[in-house]
Amino acid sequence: MQDFEYTAPTSLEGVIGLLSETWGETEIYAGGTDLVTCLKQGLTAPRRVVSLRNVKELKGITILDDSIEIGAATTLTTLLGNAELAKHATALIQAIEGINSKQMINVGTLGGDLCQRPRCWFYRNGYGLFGIEDGKSLIEDGDNRYHAIFGNDGPAKFVSASSTGPALIALGASLIVSGPEGERTIAAWDFFQTPQSESDRETALKSNEVLTKIIIPKNETQSATYEIRHRAGLDWPYVTASVAIGKEGTKVVLGHVAPTPWVSDAAGKALNGRVKKADAEKAGEVAAEGATPLSQNAYKVAMVKTAVKRAVLRATGQEEEA
Amino acid sequence: MASPQWPKADKRLHIGKPYDRLDGPIKSTGQAKYAYDVNVPGMLYAKVFPSRYALADVNSIDTSAAEAMDGVKAVWIDEGVLGKEVRYVGQIIAAVAAETEELAAEAIALVKVDYTPKEALIIDTDPSLGSGRPSEREEGTPAEAFEAADVVHEGYYGIPVITHCCFEAHGQVCDVNEAGAQFWPSTQNVSKYANGMGESLGVPESEIKVDCQVMGGGFGSKFGHDKWGVVGGLLSKKAGRPVKLMLERDLELMVGGNRPSAYGTVKVGADKDGNVTAIDAKLFGTGGNGGYRPPPVPYVFTKIPNQLSSGQRIQTNRGGQRAWRAPGHPQGCFITMAAMEDTAAKLGMDALDFFKQNLALTNRPELYAQELDIAADMIGYKEKAHLRGDSGDGPVKRGLGISIHQWGGAGHPSECDVSIHADGSVECRIGTQDLGVGTRTCVTMVLAETMGLPMDAVKANIGNNAYPISGASGGSTTIGGVSSSTRLAATAALNKLLDVVAARMGEDALSLEASNGRIQVTGDDSKSVTWNEACAMLGTNSINERGVNEPGESTKMGLMDSGVGGCQMADVSVDIETGVVTINEMVAVQDCGLIIDMKTATTQVHGGLIMGVTYALFEECVYDNRTGRMLNADMEFYRLAGLKDIGTLKVHMMTGPGFDERGVIGLGEPPVISPGAAISNAVANAIGLRVPELPLTPDRVLNAIAKGGQS
Ligand SMILES: Cc1cc2nc3c(=O)[nH]c(=O)nc-3n(C[C@H](O)[C@H](O)[C@H](O)COP(=O)(O)OP(=O)(O)OC[C@H]3O[C@@H](n4cnc5c(N)ncnc54)[C@H](O)[C@@H]3O)c2cc1C
């Protein structure tokens, strides 16, 4: 690991002032649960690390009349304990519960969860974001069991690691981002981007911007996240589905199936407020349509069907007892 | 006079009772010093440079920039690969020792190796890539037997390479200088760790001191001093300073040893009543760049009258295999028991009935019958069992699975010295090691038992090569070996004391015994002295006696034996819409002769079950087929079971008449053999088809369901 300068400014301004215009020169440190791993794995070698730990304005939950504002550096544990979120953002809370490690959520932040880098094992073993060796993709005929089944026609074949991202998109959240030019608001579903080159990142953030707030509207929605996981402890899901059923319609967003959270408009439309078991099943079928699995991950298509069906049933209190 | 024979049940003071590990408190409070925790003044940190390629010529190794770095004190290059090949990713090519771990890592980053990469063989699932001729074996007349069989089942089964994944990585701290050498390794073989090291280090072997008081797991991967032992020693010698060299997790998983894979097709023939008449197994697999011996199939049912088997080695460019807890057995067991259960399903027979029906084909029919009945009761077999696939409507299916296994477990040669001092203190010295299983505790129990003293009145010194030589801890050989040598030494020492006391008391030594802290005329404590009074009679002398365990002799004496059988059953739930397998319960029934410490014996079985659940559900080495890199050489994707994954574990140890009088038998390997087979059988029973390969991950389960099982 290369030596770096560690800074911990006390204001948002201070943070922004310390960030570089070039990716990789500086890195933001929130809980550090992913950043420190990335440093150790040599995935980034910044000359400066900027910690958010002393920036009070980035922490905490504010309940407003028609929305809930979450500071990006709020820990996931803090979110779990919030009754308003439990009521208005059930899908988010269930996604956090899925992370299933007290240690991880005690230090991990919502901003960090949304900005974490992919866990693709080619990437993490030093073969780059696209898993290339000698100009050829290692992923295409290598072990791609955990890789994308949607949105994988470009060079990016990893899956977006965040399971809170799909929940926030389903809930219609927006994200506030601050940089030297001020603040901008990005819809959660616009925040995630598929990189087209090795040096791109996976979000709409610029290198000198900070994600500051996550705003969740207080709609009358029934929402849920269903995750397919194997091991009970800290681990990654195979596939997740977050759904939100409200007056404005039904949103179905898949996780761990594409380089970004994957919105299935078709599944949302197919449901259109109908939530009987047969409708839920149909939505699962529709959500799985158009998948383009790689050589080893066709099984994920079947998982999408199940996850969507079960998320809908869960959101509407019809969960089957195992 | 004391006799070395084990005391009868009603005479036992400690043996057979459930005692906590003596070193439990220092381990759970962090006071125990593992190799990693040894920090000696002036110590340097070493890091190694691993090969990036799976197969390449090494044209040059340039360490000049590393050498020039401030704080770098010694550099080592593997002259043996220079101008020759590296054969797997992670092969150690060079190493440095520096003032801090960070500096050492930086220095390693400056090492430049010029390679010419060559095409490597990585995948192990294609038998046509095998090297050499397959081994072949034939018994009886298999072709005719299959012809005559009423039912023939044929299936494909596979179990991938996994690693030992010791929580404590391989490595050591060492201090090597002209005068001699001191090593603090993590080892399964204290007495012989240094064998063969002297020449490489230029130090007489007799001058190499080895100490290992506690260690964090070996499972068969830590018998030798290894390349990193020599490299650490050479760096230390060069720098004139002690050096710490522990493998990091990625190298630990890539080069610290692994369990060979086994794949293949198995054909089983049976008559309509369910008697197995023939088996044919065509197996292949890899031990990486190490050797390969195909697993034993048929396993346990070794008396199937007609047999054909072949085994093909695939030599791959990966880290080499090492003994992994019961080498070959978990693989042979899984393949055999799965094929047996599939045959039962094809016959429409209950699996338990089918196993029982064929017990005559094993070496211990009565024992297995008894164990199967106990296990069936424990798991509620009668109430829960159903024929394959007969498991109701919902998406979550429940099933039961069975497996049986065998092991030897004879004690190894072992020597032990026991001293009785005039102040009443008693100690033994034995060059064995405690892998975490409770060896220290059991040796103490045997010593205290023999002297008729409480546990805290005696002390067992282990883990140092200055002590009498005791065997390596592998193959379940330790408990029989150390119990016998300690018992022999302790009895000899006690008898010396009885002689002294007899002379003073004017009694015949033959009539004396040690009992409850006294030396007394057998059965008569009115004619007695306390232990301390007795020892005071030694005056300025102390007693030192050596016990030598010669396995043949000790077996004849009834101190130890070999040959055990065990049975395990699994109760699982499978969600057929997600592919997730959940363990509800595992039961294990196991014999191992006379049990010294009931608690450490039971926890040994628990440990075996947990390790077994782990390889049944989660563990596998995933290699990239082009680069040869192990993609999951970390604790994130090299998954191990956690407490919530293992379900309820129930253990029954076979004890009492018929078992105790056999003497002590090892228990390290047996409990880890059956879980893969039992769990796979339970899954097949639940979902109505075989998931052919372990581990039973959701993707494999869903893929098998999508295919509708194999023909
Ligand atoms: C084994 C394992 C399993 C896991 N399973 C799951 C899972 O199932 N689902 C899931 O969602 N997560 C999972 N996680 C990830 C975990 O939730 C994240 O590591 C954690 O949430 C990241 O938060 P952090 O605050 O520690 O981020 P950090 O490590 O501090 O930061 C992560 C990244 O985000 C950037 N960043 C952080 N905050 C900001 C900000 N405010 N503005 C701009 N950039 C920022 C950092 O620069 C860095 O690149 C798992 C992690 C591990 C190791």
Side-chain angles (χ1 to χ4, degrees):
Chain A
M1 197 192 301
Q2 180 189 296
D3 286 354
F4 54 81
E5 176 191 61
Y6 174 81
T7 58
T10 51
S11 70
L12 177 57
E13 243 178 20
V15 172
I16 293 168
L18 288 165
L19 293 175
S20 161
E21 281 177 28
T22 313
W23 277 120
E25 288 199 339
T26 57
E27 295 284 357
I28 293 174
Y29 181 118
T33 55
D34 185 30
L35 183 73
V36 173
T37 312
C38 291
L39 291 170
K40 285 188 180 167
Q41 290 172 333
L43 301 180
T44 178
R47 58 178 170 78
R48 177 186 296 145
V49 168
V50 186
S51 169
L52 303 183
R53 65 176 302 154
N54 295 332
V55 189
K56 291 220 177 65
E57 60 202 281
L58 290 180
K59 296 181 191 173
I61 304 166
T62 316
I63 313 292
L64 302 171
D65 283 350
D66 54 2
S67 66
I68 303 173
E69 287 190 6
I70 302 168
T74 310
T75 66
L76 297 169
T77 298
T78 311
L79 305 186
L80 267 194
N82 188 286
E84 289 288 310
L85 283 173
K87 190 168 154 209
H88 295 285
T90 319
L92 174 67
I93 294 302
Q94 289 171 349
I96 297 170
E97 281 168 354
I99 298 173
N100 220 347
S101 150
K102 294 257 189 295
Q103 291 93 331
M104 183 59 70
I105 65 171
N106 281 345
V107 282
T109 64
L110 184 57
D113 193 83
L114 296 171
C115 300
Q116 61 177 304
R117 310 301 312 274
R119 308 305 292 206
C120 163
W121 50 25
F122 294 97
Y123 174 52
R124 297 277 170 167
N125 274 299
Y127 298 105
L129 208 44
F130 301 153
I132 305 282
E133 171 90 333
D134 299 333
K136 275 198 292 186
S137 165
L138 293 172
I139 303 173
E140 264 163 40
D141 29 70
D143 201 308
N144 50 37
R145 71 181 80 178
Y146 300 130
H147 285 76
I149 55 167
F150 287 106
N152 54 4
D153 47 346
K157 313 219 180 283
F158 60 81
V159 294
S160 170
S162 171
S163 33
T164 60
L168 289 172
I169 294 171
L171 292 165
S174 32
L175 309 186
I176 311 288
V177 161
S178 286
E181 271 104 65
E183 219 174 69
R184 55 194 183 111
T185 304
I186 310 174
W189 63 276
D190 269 340
F191 183 71
F192 295 95
Q193 299 186 349
T194 302
Q196 299 303 321
S197 86
E198 279 282 351
S199 55
D200 285 357
R201 294 253 169 144
E202 306 83 39
T203 67
L205 277 176
K206 298 196 189 101
S207 64
N208 55 2
E209 285 181 326
V210 184
L211 172 60
T212 58
K213 258 183 234 162
I214 295 93
I215 301 176
I216 303 171
K218 273 186 175 175
N219 292 334
E220 291 294 310
T221 52
Q222 289 179 299
S223 73
T225 295
Y226 188 90
E227 304 188 324
I228 298 180
R229 290 177 176 270
H230 192 198
R231 197 169 60 166
L234 178 65
D235 204 347
W236 298 97
Y238 282 79
V239 164
T240 76
S242 294
V243 300
I245 304 159
K247 289 202 195 75
E248 303 77 29
T250 301
K251 275 197 198 142
V252 176
V253 188
L254 306 172
H256 291 262
V257 296
T260 63
W262 193 255
V263 179
S264 176
D265 285 331
K269 283 209 193 87
L271 279 166
N272 198 18
R274 288 183 305 264
V275 294
K276 293 231 181 68
K277 193 172 170 207
D279 305 317
E281 223 153 76
K282 177 77 188 149
E285 302 278 341
V286 171
E289 275 169 18
T292 51
L294 303 170
S295 58
Q296 293 188 13
N297 61 8
Y299 73 92
K300 277 192 167 188
V301 180
M303 284 187 171
V304 165
K305 297 179 190 170
T306 304
V308 169
K309 176 182 81 176
R310 292 188 183 180
V312 172
L313 296 177
R314 197 173 188 195
T316 51
Q318 306 177 75
E319 207 166 357
E320 293 163 340
E321 280 303 310
Chain B
M1 273 309 248
S3 136
Q5 256 86 28
W6 297 113
K8 296 265 174 320
D10 59 346
K11 289 273 185 189
R12 290 174 205 152
L13 183 59
H14 304 298
I15 287 177
K17 300 208 166 118
Y19 282 8
D20 290 344
R21 282 172 177 71
L22 294 176
D23 45 17
I26 62 159
K27 286 182 172 177
S28 49
T29 55
Q31 295 173 72
K33 295 271 180 256
Y34 291 83
Y36 211 106
D37 302 318
V38 172
N39 291 308
V40 287
M43 189 179 77
L44 301 171
Y45 296 83
K47 294 271 179 209
V48 298
F49 182 96
S51 168
R52 177 185 159 74
Y53 292 100
L55 187 62
D57 286 329
V58 176
N59 306 320
S60 67
I61 306 170
D62 178 1
T63 56
S64 53
E67 253 159 298
M69 242 181 81
D70 265 358
V72 171
K73 297 296 171 190
V75 173
W76 171 87
I77 287 177
D78 188 349
E79 303 284 352
V81 297
L82 197 52
K84 300 208 182 78
E85 280 177 350
V86 279
R87 301 214 169 116
Y88 52 95
V89 175
Q91 186 171 339
I92 296 170
I93 296 178
V96 306
E99 294 287 355
T100 67
E101 212 175 332
E102 292 74 18
L103 280 174
E106 270 181 54
I108 282 297
L110 297 177
V111 174
K112 287 196 186 68
V113 174
D114 182 51
Y115 308 89
T116 307
K118 305 195 232 180
E119 191 159 346
L121 178 60
I122 307 300
I123 56 165
D124 63 340
T125 45
D126 179 356
S128 73
L129 301 175
S131 49
R133 277 166 53 88
S135 63
E136 268 165 41
R137 206 174 51 82
E138 184 165 353
E139 258 178 66
T141 50
E144 286 141 49
F146 279 114
E147 195 67 31
D150 295 320
V151 167
V152 175
H153 158 76
E154 192 168 349
Y156 168 83
Y157 307 92
I159 180 166
V161 170
I162 67 169
T163 80
H164 303 71
C165 202
C166 309
F167 274 2
E168 180 188 34
H170 287 70
Q172 74 287 322
V173 174
C174 67
D175 187 1
V176 180
N177 48 51
E178 299 307 318
Q182 172 74 56
F183 277 78
W184 294 273
S186 176
T187 183
Q188 297 179 239
N189 195 3
V190 164
S191 287
K192 294 183 182 158
Y193 173 85
N195 282 18
M197 221 180 190
E199 202 179 327
S200 334
L201 295 182
V203 175
E205 240 151 63
S206 57
E207 300 301 318
I208 304 178
K209 302 194 178 86
V210 178
D211 191 75
C212 172
Q213 290 303 312
V214 291
M215 59 94 73
F219 310 109
S221 68
K222 290 182 180 166
F223 291 128
H225 49 259
D226 279 313
K227 187 169 183 174
W228 41 87
V230 173
V231 171
L234 290 174
L235 288 170
S236 169
K237 195 174 175 190
K238 221 172 186 174
R241 307 254 299 264
V243 168
K244 179 182 283 187
L245 197 177
M246 303 295 295
L247 296 188
E248 291 188 41
R249 185 54 55 181
D250 58 348
L251 278 192
E252 173 69 16
L253 294 186
M254 286 191 284
V255 310
N258 58 57
R259 184 176 86 180
S261 58
Y263 308 90
T265 50
V266 180
K267 208 161 87 172
V268 178
D271 68 21
K272 58 183 183 320
D273 301 323
N275 299 302
V276 174
T277 53
I279 187 164
D280 176 358
K282 292 189 178 56
L283 306 175
F284 60 95
T286 192
N289 73 313
Y292 185 76
R293 218 199 283 168
V297 175
Y299 183 68
V300 181
F301 295 99
T302 47
K303 295 180 177 168
I304 294 174
N306 304 288
Q307 302 184 15
L308 200 60
S309 70
S310 69
Q312 174 69 59
R313 168 192 186 200
I314 303 179
Q315 193 179 356
T316 51
N317 294 103
R318 307 179 182 181
Q321 61 98 12
R322 295 181 174 192
W324 189 104
R325 232 175 148 181
H329 286 231
Q331 300 98 311
C333 183
F334 162 66
I335 292 172
T336 304
M337 302 303 154
M340 290 289 281
E341 206 266 358
D342 283 344
T343 309
K346 190 154 189 177
L347 281 156
M349 260 180 99
D350 170 77
L352 180 56
D353 290 344
F354 181 79
F355 272 68
K356 280 187 162 175
Q357 173 97 6
N358 286 289
L359 287 181
L361 302 175
T362 74
N363 285 323
R364 294 183 191 80
E366 296 82 21
L367 174 70
Y368 288 122
Q370 216 181 338
E371 290 182 336
L372 281 164
D373 285 343
I374 295 171
D377 275 348
M378 285 166 75
I379 208 161
Y381 193 90
K382 268 207 199 95
E383 303 78 59
K384 292 184 196 153
H386 57 73
L387 289 179
R388 177 181 282 198
D390 226 356
S391 35
D393 292 333
V396 178
K397 313 287 188 192
R398 198 158 169 170
L400 294 179
I402 306 171
S403 173
I404 55 178
H405 58 260
Q406 65 186 34
W407 190 252
H412 52 35
S414 168
E415 299 185 14
C416 176
D417 281 354
V418 167
S419 301
I420 303 175
H421 300 288
D423 65 354
S425 59
V426 177
E427 56 169 337
C428 73
R429 290 169 302 282
I430 176 168
T432 187
Q433 50 280 319
D434 191 332
L435 274 50
V437 300
T439 305
R440 187 190 311 273
T441 309
C442 291
V443 168
T444 309
M445 287 175 80
V446 170
L447 185 56
E449 176 81 45
T450 309
M451 302 300 178
L453 292 173
M455 288 287 280
D456 58 7
V458 305
K459 174 148 181 22
N461 299 293
I462 67 166
N464 194 295
N465 74 340
Y467 302 150
I469 296 175
S470 198
S473 289
S476 306
T477 57
T478 304
I479 189 68
V482 300
S483 299
S484 301
S485 64
T486 305
R487 178 73 176 174
L488 289 165
T491 309
L494 175 62
N495 283 336
K496 281 273 155 65
L497 182 65
L498 296 186
D499 283 341
V500 172
V501 176
R504 283 285 194 92
M505 284 173 71
E507 297 284 347
D508 184 352
L510 285 174
S511 72
L512 296 185
E513 65 170 0
S515 173
N516 282 317
R518 305 186 79 85
I519 303 295
Q520 63 184 31
V521 172
T522 303
D524 179 3
D525 63 4
S526 70
K527 287 188 195 153
S528 71
V529 294
T530 67
W531 178 264
N532 278 0
E533 287 165 352
C535 293
M537 295 173 192
L538 294 172
T540 53
N541 295 322
S542 45
I543 294 168
N544 295 295
E545 287 295 315
R546 175 157 298 191
V548 178
N549 179 42
E550 283 161 11
E553 281 302 304
S554 295
T555 305
K556 266 187 242 153
M557 286 170 69
L559 287 177
M560 51 174 262
D561 201 359
S562 102
V564 299
C567 157
Q568 296 186 358
M569 292 190 190
D571 172 353
V572 306
S573 292
V574 187
D575 186 330
I576 56 166
E577 292 181 357
T578 63
V580 171
V581 175
T582 310
I583 307 288
N584 302 314
E585 185 169 299
M586 296 278 301
V587 304
V589 182
Q590 184 66 50
D591 78 319
C592 65
L594 176 70
I595 290 174
I596 302 291
D597 181 348
M598 184 53 84
K599 185 165 191 178
T600 54
T602 310
T603 55
Q604 182 68 18
V605 180
H606 278 124
L609 287 170
I610 293 168
M611 202 168 185
V613 168
T614 295
Y615 77 71
L617 295 191
F618 303 111
E619 268 182 291
E620 64 185 297
C621 295
V622 178
Y623 282 88
D624 176 51
N625 55 19
R626 252 172 60 201
T627 61
R629 170 98 196 170
M630 184 177 162
L631 293 171
N632 61 341
D634 53 48
M635 299 295 283
E636 182 174 343
F637 290 108
Y638 191 86
R639 296 187 169 90
L640 301 183
L643 275 181
K644 280 190 185 167
D645 297 311
I646 58 179
T648 304
L649 307 180
K650 289 188 188 153
V651 174
H652 176 88
M653 302 302 300
M654 305 293 283
T655 55
F659 299 98
D660 289 10
E661 61 272 17
R662 295 184 65 193
V664 181
I665 315 175
L667 183 61
E669 334 296 303
V672 85
I673 299 170
S674 269
I679 293 168
S680 176
N681 283 345
V683 168
N685 180 248
I687 66 176
L689 52 87
R690 174 71 52 185
V691 181
E693 287 183 8
L694 296 185
L696 296 155
T697 50
D699 46 325
R700 288 197 177 82
V701 173
L702 288 181
N703 287 340
I705 292 172
K707 272 198 195 153
Q710 49 187 329
S711 50

